[in-house]
Amino acid sequence: RAKEQGKNQYQFFNGEMDRIVLQKTIIETALHEAIEKKQFTLFYQPQFDGQTKELIGMEALIRWIHPEHGIISPAIFIPIAEETGQIISIGEWVIEEACRKMKKWSEQTGRSLRMSVNISPKQFLKENFVEHIYSVLQNTPLPPHQLDLEITEGVAVFNEQYTIDKLKQLKQLGVHISIDDFGTGYSSLSYLRKFPIDRLKIAKPFIDGITEEKEDVAVVKAIIVLAKNLKLRVIAEGVETLQQLDLLRSLQCDEIQGYVLGKPLPADVFEKTYMKNQLPNE
Ligand code: C2E
Ligand code: MG
Ligand code: MG
Ligand code: MG
């Protein structure tokens, strides 16, 4: 519907789902202010082991708390920030904040969970990206294996060799790499052999249909087998029902993320729900 209302206009929804349409330039200015005034916050969604149902980590998901419009979804502003280049400073803040939180929760619980952070193509392709990751890990400090970077297949189309080099550097640091929205990126599968990655995230649209459409089950089964043969972990995202969960578990899907097991939550609520103190006397 945004398209019907003009090319450079995007739809905004506030907390009460009231609709406003703003020019892209207005959003850009508003984003500029949001960066200055630190109007962003991170929500965290749990990720679980498919077999044991144990918590294995969480995905950081950005929210823009706008003083007038309420919580604005990243689906609306991330594509604009990517276009304007504002994703660089927003993205750096996300990595720093997510690492700080992971460190705090590790100390609090004595557990070594993994924090997943979404990385936009423009961010990944920026020349100092690896250096920034390195300095955040050093400064926090956070063990590199506790950080998972979710990249998309899109980084492969820009310059495959550049991407392979950067991924190798990241692997040398010791961070974990996941391919987000796997299967939706129109890229060839050849990169799977060449990219040093750890995990595939099966995109939600495939998961949506698995209890009704045999084609979707076929695709999901194939992705799981592909991942196993390539020695990659595989996680299903957007799992909403118990039927989907049972089916994925029977297909030996390694890990599960979705509303059926846990929604994205503000840090304090996530902490109260999942980061129960396991150390004595604290
Ligand atoms: P994504 O990385 O694929 O994240 C998963 C999205 O699915 C999240 O939407 C999450 O809230 C939602 N989700 C998880 N489980 C379920 C479910 O069971 N049902 C449904 N209907 N939805 C589920 P969200 O938080 O709105 O984020 C949308 C997208 O915005 C993300 O998709 C990601 O690509 C991007 N994004 C979010 N945070 C960041 C960020 O910090 N940096 C960058 N570059 N992109 C971000
Ligand atoms: Mg993601
Ligand atoms: Mg993503
Ligand atoms: Mg995804």
Side-chain angles (χ1 to χ4, degrees), residues 81-100:
E82 171 93 354
E83 219 181 295
T84 62
Q86 290 165 311
I87 190 64
I88 301 296
S89 51
I90 296 172
E92 288 182 347
W93 174 81
V94 171
I95 293 163
E96 289 156 22
E97 178 66 15
C99 286
R100 267 197 298 273

mmCIF file of all heavy atoms in Angstrom, residues 81-100:
data_model
loop_
_atom_site.group_PDB
_atom_site.id
_atom_site.type_symbol
_atom_site.label_atom_id
_atom_site.label_comp_id
_atom_site.label_asym_id
_atom_site.label_seq_id
_atom_site.Cartn_x
_atom_site.Cartn_y
_atom_site.Cartn_z
ATOM 1 N N ALA A 81 17.614 3.508 6.559
ATOM 2 C CA ALA A 81 18.944 3.768 7.133
ATOM 3 C C ALA A 81 20.041 3.140 6.274
ATOM 4 O O ALA A 81 21.140 3.682 6.142
ATOM 5 C CB ALA A 81 19.017 3.208 8.555
ATOM 6 N N GLU A 82 19.710 2.009 5.675
ATOM 7 C CA GLU A 82 20.659 1.338 4.772
ATOM 8 C C GLU A 82 20.894 2.218 3.538
ATOM 9 O O GLU A 82 22.019 2.413 3.096
ATOM 10 C CB GLU A 82 20.079 -0.033 4.402
ATOM 11 C CG GLU A 82 20.809 -0.777 3.317
ATOM 12 C CD GLU A 82 21.882 -1.746 3.826
ATOM 13 O OE1 GLU A 82 22.166 -1.783 5.032
ATOM 14 O OE2 GLU A 82 22.433 -2.462 2.991
ATOM 15 N N GLU A 83 19.816 2.771 3.034
ATOM 16 C CA GLU A 83 19.911 3.615 1.836
ATOM 17 C C GLU A 83 20.683 4.907 2.106
ATOM 18 O O GLU A 83 21.491 5.337 1.288
ATOM 19 C CB GLU A 83 18.489 3.968 1.388
ATOM 20 C CG GLU A 83 18.273 3.972 -0.105
ATOM 21 C CD GLU A 83 16.824 4.355 -0.419
ATOM 22 O OE1 GLU A 83 15.920 3.570 -0.048
ATOM 23 O OE2 GLU A 83 16.618 5.436 -0.979
ATOM 24 N N THR A 84 20.434 5.517 3.260
ATOM 25 C CA THR A 84 21.075 6.804 3.556
ATOM 26 C C THR A 84 22.490 6.649 4.130
ATOM 27 O O THR A 84 23.208 7.635 4.245
ATOM 28 C CB THR A 84 20.258 7.587 4.612
ATOM 29 O OG1 THR A 84 20.226 6.817 5.826
ATOM 30 C CG2 THR A 84 18.835 7.850 4.154
ATOM 31 N N GLY A 85 22.854 5.427 4.521
ATOM 32 C CA GLY A 85 24.166 5.217 5.126
ATOM 33 C C GLY A 85 24.125 5.353 6.653
ATOM 34 O O GLY A 85 25.109 5.065 7.331
ATOM 35 N N GLN A 86 22.980 5.781 7.186
ATOM 36 C CA GLN A 86 22.862 5.927 8.645
ATOM 37 C C GLN A 86 22.973 4.583 9.367
ATOM 38 O O GLN A 86 23.217 4.548 10.575
ATOM 39 C CB GLN A 86 21.532 6.614 8.995
ATOM 40 C CG GLN A 86 21.497 8.086 8.600
ATOM 41 C CD GLN A 86 20.078 8.641 8.621
ATOM 42 O OE1 GLN A 86 19.155 8.042 8.052
ATOM 43 N NE2 GLN A 86 19.882 9.787 9.242
ATOM 44 N N ILE A 87 22.815 3.503 8.591
ATOM 45 C CA ILE A 87 22.944 2.165 9.189
ATOM 46 C C ILE A 87 24.311 1.957 9.817
ATOM 47 O O ILE A 87 24.459 1.167 10.754
ATOM 48 C CB ILE A 87 22.680 1.060 8.127
ATOM 49 C CG1 ILE A 87 22.562 -0.333 8.774
ATOM 50 C CG2 ILE A 87 23.777 1.010 7.066
ATOM 51 C CD1 ILE A 87 21.400 -0.485 9.709
ATOM 52 N N ILE A 88 25.318 2.686 9.325
ATOM 53 C CA ILE A 88 26.671 2.483 9.865
ATOM 54 C C ILE A 88 26.725 2.865 11.350
ATOM 55 O O ILE A 88 27.121 2.053 12.188
ATOM 56 C CB ILE A 88 27.733 3.273 9.054
ATOM 57 C CG1 ILE A 88 27.728 2.830 7.572
ATOM 58 C CG2 ILE A 88 29.127 3.106 9.672
ATOM 59 C CD1 ILE A 88 28.118 1.383 7.324
ATOM 60 N N SER A 89 26.288 4.087 11.668
ATOM 61 C CA SER A 89 26.365 4.470 13.083
ATOM 62 C C SER A 89 25.335 3.723 13.922
ATOM 63 O O SER A 89 25.612 3.353 15.075
ATOM 64 C CB SER A 89 26.248 5.985 13.260
ATOM 65 O OG SER A 89 25.128 6.457 12.582
ATOM 66 N N ILE A 90 24.160 3.475 13.359
ATOM 67 C CA ILE A 90 23.154 2.705 14.107
ATOM 68 C C ILE A 90 23.701 1.299 14.371
ATOM 69 O O ILE A 90 23.644 0.786 15.495
ATOM 70 C CB ILE A 90 21.814 2.616 13.323
ATOM 71 C CG1 ILE A 90 21.191 4.005 13.150
ATOM 72 C CG2 ILE A 90 20.842 1.663 14.009
ATOM 73 C CD1 ILE A 90 19.975 4.047 12.224
ATOM 74 N N GLY A 91 24.255 0.697 13.335
ATOM 75 C CA GLY A 91 24.769 -0.679 13.429
ATOM 76 C C GLY A 91 25.912 -0.808 14.427
ATOM 77 O O GLY A 91 26.021 -1.815 15.134
ATOM 78 N N GLU A 92 26.774 0.210 14.469
ATOM 79 C CA GLU A 92 27.886 0.154 15.424
ATOM 80 C C GLU A 92 27.356 0.187 16.856
ATOM 81 O O GLU A 92 27.818 -0.556 17.726
ATOM 82 C CB GLU A 92 28.871 1.310 15.173
ATOM 83 C CG GLU A 92 29.665 1.081 13.889
ATOM 84 C CD GLU A 92 30.703 2.157 13.592
ATOM 85 O OE1 GLU A 92 30.672 3.234 14.239
ATOM 86 O OE2 GLU A 92 31.543 1.909 12.703
ATOM 87 N N TRP A 93 26.350 1.029 17.070
ATOM 88 C CA TRP A 93 25.739 1.090 18.396
ATOM 89 C C TRP A 93 25.121 -0.265 18.759
ATOM 90 O O TRP A 93 25.268 -0.744 19.895
ATOM 91 C CB TRP A 93 24.680 2.201 18.458
ATOM 92 C CG TRP A 93 23.960 2.178 19.768
ATOM 93 C CD1 TRP A 93 24.382 2.703 20.951
ATOM 94 C CD2 TRP A 93 22.699 1.517 20.040
ATOM 95 N NE1 TRP A 93 23.478 2.422 21.946
ATOM 96 C CE2 TRP A 93 22.438 1.704 21.423
ATOM 97 C CE3 TRP A 93 21.785 0.797 19.261
ATOM 98 C CZ2 TRP A 93 21.283 1.202 22.027
ATOM 99 C CZ3 TRP A 93 20.643 0.289 19.875
ATOM 100 C CH2 TRP A 93 20.399 0.496 21.237
ATOM 101 N N VAL A 94 24.441 -0.907 17.792
ATOM 102 C CA VAL A 94 23.785 -2.202 18.056
ATOM 103 C C VAL A 94 24.817 -3.232 18.513
ATOM 104 O O VAL A 94 24.620 -3.931 19.516
ATOM 105 C CB VAL A 94 23.022 -2.723 16.809
ATOM 106 C CG1 VAL A 94 22.536 -4.161 17.012
ATOM 107 C CG2 VAL A 94 21.829 -1.821 16.471
ATOM 108 N N ILE A 95 25.930 -3.301 17.800
ATOM 109 C CA ILE A 95 26.963 -4.290 18.140
ATOM 110 C C ILE A 95 27.507 -4.017 19.545
ATOM 111 O O ILE A 95 27.634 -4.937 20.368
ATOM 112 C CB ILE A 95 28.111 -4.255 17.098
ATOM 113 C CG1 ILE A 95 27.586 -4.735 15.737
ATOM 114 C CG2 ILE A 95 29.282 -5.133 17.546
ATOM 115 C CD1 ILE A 95 28.481 -4.363 14.563
ATOM 116 N N GLU A 96 27.794 -2.752 19.826
ATOM 117 C CA GLU A 96 28.345 -2.404 21.140
ATOM 118 C C GLU A 96 27.360 -2.731 22.262
ATOM 119 O O GLU A 96 27.719 -3.351 23.268
ATOM 120 C CB GLU A 96 28.719 -0.909 21.169
ATOM 121 C CG GLU A 96 29.949 -0.623 20.297
ATOM 122 C CD GLU A 96 30.030 0.821 19.811
ATOM 123 O OE1 GLU A 96 29.407 1.707 20.433
ATOM 124 O OE2 GLU A 96 30.722 1.054 18.792
ATOM 125 N N GLU A 97 26.122 -2.323 22.071
ATOM 126 C CA GLU A 97 25.095 -2.544 23.097
ATOM 127 C C GLU A 97 24.834 -4.040 23.311
ATOM 128 O O GLU A 97 24.727 -4.501 24.451
ATOM 129 C CB GLU A 97 23.793 -1.825 22.680
ATOM 130 C CG GLU A 97 22.611 -2.002 23.608
ATOM 131 C CD GLU A 97 22.804 -1.366 24.991
ATOM 132 O OE1 GLU A 97 23.741 -0.544 25.156
ATOM 133 O OE2 GLU A 97 22.010 -1.706 25.897
ATOM 134 N N ALA A 98 24.730 -4.798 22.215
ATOM 135 C CA ALA A 98 24.459 -6.243 22.319
ATOM 136 C C ALA A 98 25.617 -6.948 23.034
ATOM 137 O O ALA A 98 25.393 -7.828 23.867
ATOM 138 C CB ALA A 98 24.227 -6.845 20.934
ATOM 139 N N CYS A 99 26.848 -6.558 22.718
ATOM 140 C CA CYS A 99 28.010 -7.184 23.368
ATOM 141 C C CYS A 99 28.057 -6.837 24.859
ATOM 142 O O CYS A 99 28.332 -7.699 25.695
ATOM 143 C CB CYS A 99 29.306 -6.772 22.672
ATOM 144 S SG CYS A 99 29.536 -7.582 21.067
ATOM 145 N N ARG A 100 27.775 -5.569 25.171
ATOM 146 C CA ARG A 100 27.726 -5.161 26.588
ATOM 147 C C ARG A 100 26.730 -6.010 27.362
ATOM 148 O O ARG A 100 26.985 -6.465 28.464
ATOM 149 C CB ARG A 100 27.274 -3.689 26.700
ATOM 150 C CG ARG A 100 28.390 -2.658 26.756
ATOM 151 C CD ARG A 100 27.880 -1.320 27.270
ATOM 152 N NE ARG A 100 26.860 -0.700 26.422
ATOM 153 C CZ ARG A 100 27.138 0.097 25.371
ATOM 154 N NH1 ARG A 100 28.387 0.370 25.052
ATOM 155 N NH2 ARG A 100 26.162 0.622 24.649
#
